[in-house]
Amino acid sequence: MADERKPVQTLSELLAQQFENTRRFTLRLAGEFDEETALWRPTEFNNNALWILGHILGSSDHFARCLGAPKREHGPELCPDFSIGGCYNEGVKYPAFAEIADALEAEAPRRAEFIKGLSAEDLARPFDFRPAFIPFVSEAVAWMSSHEMMHTGQLFYVRRGLGKELLVK
């Protein structure tokens, strides 16, 4: 099947494409876990795939709120354990891994359309939310994807610890 994407014409289109590519890769890796393997941790100091994916969803929700994007319509409510600085806690009842993955997949098209709709003026506006080191909306949108890819790298590490093959040989 031929790739039907077209070259980007604006910064908002580039940022949306970055988001879509990142989310596609995140979901590809998430698809290799089940409810049992999503709880495995390489060491007691690492988070598991369940927490990583929940953190990606919660962070995406945070950025969306700060940017004025529509609220996520699907998926579970997330507890503070998934927030910045949070961690997985044994004995806590968390949403199912599949629910979190489904929510990430369901909200991706709306989030990408929102990003594409940002004007040059929108992107140049100050970003007055956490994290404080991000001065403009354009950088917040870029950071949202970069942050997700950083944690997707952790998913890769966890899946390798489970004996999964390399994605690229």
Side-chain angles (χ1 to χ4, degrees), residues 41 46-47 51 80-90 94:
R41 296 190 297 172
N46 297 104
N47 281 306
W51 184 89
D81 289 356
F82 293 111
S83 299
I84 296 169
C87 63
Y88 181 78
N89 289 295
E90 299 288 341
Y94 293 111

Short mmCIF file of all heavy atoms in Angstrom, two decimals, residues 41 46-47 51 80-90 94:
data_model
loop_
_atom_site.label_atom_id
_atom_site.label_comp_id
_atom_site.label_asym_id
_atom_site.label_seq_id
_atom_site.Cartn_x
_atom_site.Cartn_y
_atom_site.Cartn_z
N ARG A 41 8.61 -5.50 35.40
CA ARG A 41 9.59 -4.41 35.51
C ARG A 41 10.99 -5.00 35.48
O ARG A 41 11.26 -5.99 36.17
CB ARG A 41 9.40 -3.64 36.82
CG ARG A 41 8.08 -2.95 36.91
CD ARG A 41 7.96 -2.01 38.08
NE ARG A 41 8.07 -2.68 39.37
CZ ARG A 41 8.16 -2.02 40.53
NH1 ARG A 41 8.17 -0.70 40.55
NH2 ARG A 41 8.24 -2.67 41.66
N ASN A 46 12.60 0.55 37.96
CA ASN A 46 11.99 0.87 36.67
C ASN A 46 10.48 0.83 36.79
O ASN A 46 9.94 0.06 37.60
CB ASN A 46 12.41 -0.13 35.59
CG ASN A 46 13.89 -0.10 35.32
OD1 ASN A 46 14.61 -0.99 35.76
ND2 ASN A 46 14.34 0.89 34.60
N ASN A 47 9.82 1.61 35.96
CA ASN A 47 8.38 1.48 35.83
C ASN A 47 8.07 0.41 34.79
O ASN A 47 8.91 0.09 33.95
CB ASN A 47 7.75 2.81 35.43
CG ASN A 47 7.62 3.73 36.63
OD1 ASN A 47 7.04 3.36 37.65
ND2 ASN A 47 8.16 4.93 36.52
N TRP A 51 2.55 1.52 33.58
CA TRP A 51 2.77 2.88 34.08
C TRP A 51 3.26 3.79 32.95
O TRP A 51 2.79 4.93 32.83
CB TRP A 51 3.79 2.91 35.23
CG TRP A 51 3.90 4.31 35.78
CD1 TRP A 51 3.16 4.85 36.77
CD2 TRP A 51 4.77 5.35 35.30
NE1 TRP A 51 3.51 6.17 36.95
CE2 TRP A 51 4.50 6.50 36.06
CE3 TRP A 51 5.74 5.43 34.31
CZ2 TRP A 51 5.16 7.71 35.87
CZ3 TRP A 51 6.41 6.64 34.11
CH2 TRP A 51 6.12 7.76 34.90
N PRO A 80 -3.14 10.01 40.26
CA PRO A 80 -1.91 10.81 40.30
C PRO A 80 -0.62 10.01 40.15
O PRO A 80 0.42 10.58 39.85
CB PRO A 80 -1.97 11.49 41.68
CG PRO A 80 -3.41 11.49 42.04
CD PRO A 80 -3.99 10.25 41.42
N ASP A 81 -0.66 8.68 40.35
CA ASP A 81 0.55 7.88 40.18
C ASP A 81 1.14 8.03 38.78
O ASP A 81 2.33 7.83 38.58
CB ASP A 81 0.27 6.39 40.42
CG ASP A 81 0.01 6.06 41.88
OD1 ASP A 81 0.13 6.96 42.73
OD2 ASP A 81 -0.30 4.89 42.16
N PHE A 82 0.30 8.38 37.80
CA PHE A 82 0.76 8.51 36.42
C PHE A 82 1.33 9.90 36.12
O PHE A 82 1.78 10.16 35.01
CB PHE A 82 -0.37 8.20 35.44
CG PHE A 82 -0.79 6.76 35.46
CD1 PHE A 82 -2.03 6.40 35.96
CD2 PHE A 82 0.04 5.76 34.98
CE1 PHE A 82 -2.44 5.07 35.97
CE2 PHE A 82 -0.35 4.43 34.99
CZ PHE A 82 -1.59 4.08 35.48
N SER A 83 1.28 10.80 37.08
CA SER A 83 1.73 12.18 36.88
C SER A 83 3.25 12.26 36.86
O SER A 83 3.95 11.30 37.19
CB SER A 83 1.19 13.08 37.98
OG SER A 83 -0.21 13.07 37.98
N ILE A 84 3.74 13.45 36.54
CA ILE A 84 5.18 13.71 36.57
C ILE A 84 5.68 13.40 37.97
O ILE A 84 5.12 13.86 38.97
CB ILE A 84 5.47 15.17 36.19
CG1 ILE A 84 5.04 15.41 34.74
CG2 ILE A 84 6.95 15.50 36.38
CD1 ILE A 84 5.04 16.87 34.33
N GLY A 85 6.72 12.60 38.06
CA GLY A 85 7.29 12.22 39.34
C GLY A 85 6.61 11.04 39.99
O GLY A 85 7.05 10.56 41.03
N GLY A 86 5.53 10.54 39.38
CA GLY A 86 4.83 9.39 39.92
C GLY A 86 5.53 8.10 39.57
O GLY A 86 6.50 8.08 38.81
N CYS A 87 5.06 7.01 40.14
CA CYS A 87 5.63 5.71 39.82
C CYS A 87 4.58 4.63 40.08
O CYS A 87 3.56 4.88 40.71
CB CYS A 87 6.89 5.44 40.62
SG CYS A 87 6.61 5.37 42.40
N TYR A 88 4.87 3.45 39.59
CA TYR A 88 3.99 2.30 39.78
C TYR A 88 4.05 1.86 41.23
O TYR A 88 5.11 1.78 41.83
CB TYR A 88 4.45 1.16 38.86
CG TYR A 88 3.57 -0.06 38.96
CD1 TYR A 88 2.35 -0.08 38.31
CD2 TYR A 88 3.96 -1.15 39.71
CE1 TYR A 88 1.52 -1.20 38.40
CE2 TYR A 88 3.15 -2.27 39.80
CZ TYR A 88 1.93 -2.29 39.15
OH TYR A 88 1.12 -3.38 39.24
N ASN A 89 2.89 1.60 41.79
CA ASN A 89 2.81 1.14 43.17
C ASN A 89 2.10 -0.20 43.23
O ASN A 89 0.94 -0.31 42.81
CB ASN A 89 2.08 2.16 44.04
CG ASN A 89 2.89 3.41 44.25
OD1 ASN A 89 3.94 3.36 44.88
ND2 ASN A 89 2.45 4.52 43.70
N GLU A 90 2.80 -1.21 43.74
CA GLU A 90 2.21 -2.54 43.89
C GLU A 90 0.95 -2.42 44.75
O GLU A 90 0.89 -1.65 45.69
CB GLU A 90 3.21 -3.49 44.58
CG GLU A 90 4.49 -3.70 43.83
CD GLU A 90 4.35 -4.55 42.57
OE1 GLU A 90 3.34 -5.27 42.43
OE2 GLU A 90 5.25 -4.45 41.72
N TYR A 94 -5.02 -0.28 39.01
CA TYR A 94 -4.88 0.64 37.88
C TYR A 94 -5.80 0.22 36.74
O TYR A 94 -6.23 -0.94 36.68
CB TYR A 94 -3.44 0.65 37.37
CG TYR A 94 -2.44 1.24 38.34
CD1 TYR A 94 -1.51 0.44 38.97
CD2 TYR A 94 -2.44 2.59 38.61
CE1 TYR A 94 -0.59 0.97 39.86
CE2 TYR A 94 -1.53 3.14 39.50
CZ TYR A 94 -0.60 2.33 40.12
OH TYR A 94 0.28 2.88 41.00
#
